[in-house]
Amino acid sequence: MPITLTGIGIHPVKSTAIRPVSGAAVCPWGLAGDRRWMVVDADSVLVTARELQRLFTIVADTPDTDPLATAALRLSAPGVDPIDVAEPDADAVPVRLHAHDLLGRPAEPAASDWVRQVLGRDDLTLVWCDDPTRRALNPSYSRPGDHTGFADGYPVTLVSLASVARLNDWIVEEALLRGEDPGVALPVERFRANLVVTGAEPFAEDGWSRVRVGDVWFRKAKGIDRCVMTTISRTDLTTAKEPIRTLARHRQWDGKTWFGIQLIPEGVGAIDVGAPVHAE
């Protein structure tokens, strides 16, 4: 069965709602418009939905996710008026993303005030990555010249629908053995992938070294070690044990649970949902 690109997701602001798109431009640092903004606290440290689950309720759009967007960034959330945000011209300041010391330009005060109102914290600031080329990647899994914006580790993530289906099968099997209600199947959106493919065997992506989507090649950096963010429901923001509990049984090694792969673009171009995918 041929492998096909069945979904593209962009996250303009880190940890906010996924924006599904029918096509995307691939840049050296990832998909255009993806994870160029993030929220930091008073210590300039990244804040994610691990700590503030209401980040998932914020919808962030750019011209890359909505052709009708006229500003660099448009933010909306339930119960508040939306706001248009320009690319900041403030000086870049040090920010911390996990173990990475980076630079980001603070957004206009009105934008950060809006974020504070929605999230209920007065110590937050919205920042923008003005130059992704400043951030080099882990040399153990990349090459000189590889870079990205505010992604966790690498520019692009990929998940297979067949792997999601197999994981859901495992969840059901184990729930029934425990005498529990397995609940609703986990959607692929739990894994916040940039690229979703169909047609491959479950977990075939583990063995891929390069992937071509349409005419654009990507190089595999490594697998994705998964955290508690995958346990948060996007619909009601509740937290459960899955999928980490089942991944820990079936997909755990090196002390981590694994699902999906990280990719680095080897070229630039346009990709569209429905494009053929070739894996090596």
Side-chain angles (χ1 to χ4, degrees):
M1 183 175 177
I3 307 173
T4 304
L5 182 67
T6 192
I8 303 173
I10 294 176
H11 320 78
V13 180
K14 196 168 178 65
S15 275
T16 58
I18 303 168
R19 309 306 294 138
V21 294
S22 60
V26 180
C27 305
W29 51 83
L31 302 189
D34 188 58
R35 296 179 174 97
R36 292 289 297 275
W37 302 76
M38 70 178 185
V39 176
V40 298
D41 63 16
D43 296 319
S44 298
V45 175
L46 165 70
V47 175
T48 73
R50 298 175 186 84
E51 304 85 42
L52 283 179
Q53 296 175 359
R54 277 186 291 175
L55 271 165
F56 286 147
T57 68
I58 294 177
V59 175
D61 277 305
T62 73
D64 298 300
T65 63
D66 183 354
L68 298 180
T70 57
L73 181 69
R74 185 182 64 220
L75 301 175
S76 59
V80 296
D81 291 333
I83 186 172
D84 285 343
V85 184
E87 290 182 353
D89 58 7
D91 291 339
V93 299
V95 295
R96 180 85 168 170
L97 188 160
H98 304 312
H100 308 289
D101 290 313
L102 307 174
L103 292 173
R105 293 183 185 266
E108 59 198 62
S112 290
D113 287 344
W114 187 97
V115 171
R116 293 167 185 165
Q117 177 186 355
V118 171
L119 299 180
R121 276 180 51 175
D122 61 6
D123 65 331
L124 304 177
T125 300
L126 180 67
V127 298
W128 176 59
C129 175
D130 60 304
D131 183 5
T133 65
R134 283 195 299 250
R135 179 184 173 187
L137 307 182
N138 184 339
S140 298
Y141 303 101
S142 66
R143 298 174 183 171
D146 291 336
H147 50 269
T148 192
F150 288 149
D152 274 357
Y154 302 89
V156 176
T157 58
L158 179 148
V159 163
S160 160
L161 285 180
S163 301
V164 175
R166 177 62 57 84
L167 173 60
N168 276 310
D169 288 344
W170 287 336
I171 291 172
V172 170
E173 292 168 4
E174 295 190 14
L176 294 176
L177 287 174
R178 290 190 298 267
E180 299 174 358
D181 179 358
V184 178
L186 294 181
V188 67
E189 288 78 12
R190 279 289 183 96
F191 301 98
R192 298 179 64 82
N194 293 123
L195 307 179
V196 179
V197 301
T198 188
E201 291 296 316
F203 303 108
E205 62 272 19
D206 290 348
W208 297 348
S209 59
R210 297 177 76 225
V211 180
R212 187 183 70 214
V213 180
D215 294 325
V216 182
W217 280 97
F218 300 82
R219 175 178 9 105
K220 179 182 173 183
K222 60 187 290 293
I224 306 173
D225 51 300
R226 292 298 179 170
C227 68
V228 295
M229 195 180 295
T230 58
T231 67
I232 305 169
S233 167
R234 271 50 173 178
T235 55
D236 59 13
L237 304 185
T238 58
T239 301
K241 294 180 180 179
E242 298 296 356
I244 295 298
R245 175 169 59 178
T246 296
L247 287 175
R249 182 176 177 85
H250 294 273
R251 301 276 304 169
Q252 180 169 301
W253 54 86
D254 296 335
K256 299 177 180 179
T257 56
W258 301 87
F259 196 90
I261 59 175
Q262 310 259 22
L263 301 173
I264 299 171
E266 291 192 322
V268 298
I271 57 174
D272 295 288
V273 170
V277 176
H278 173 76
E280 295 181 347

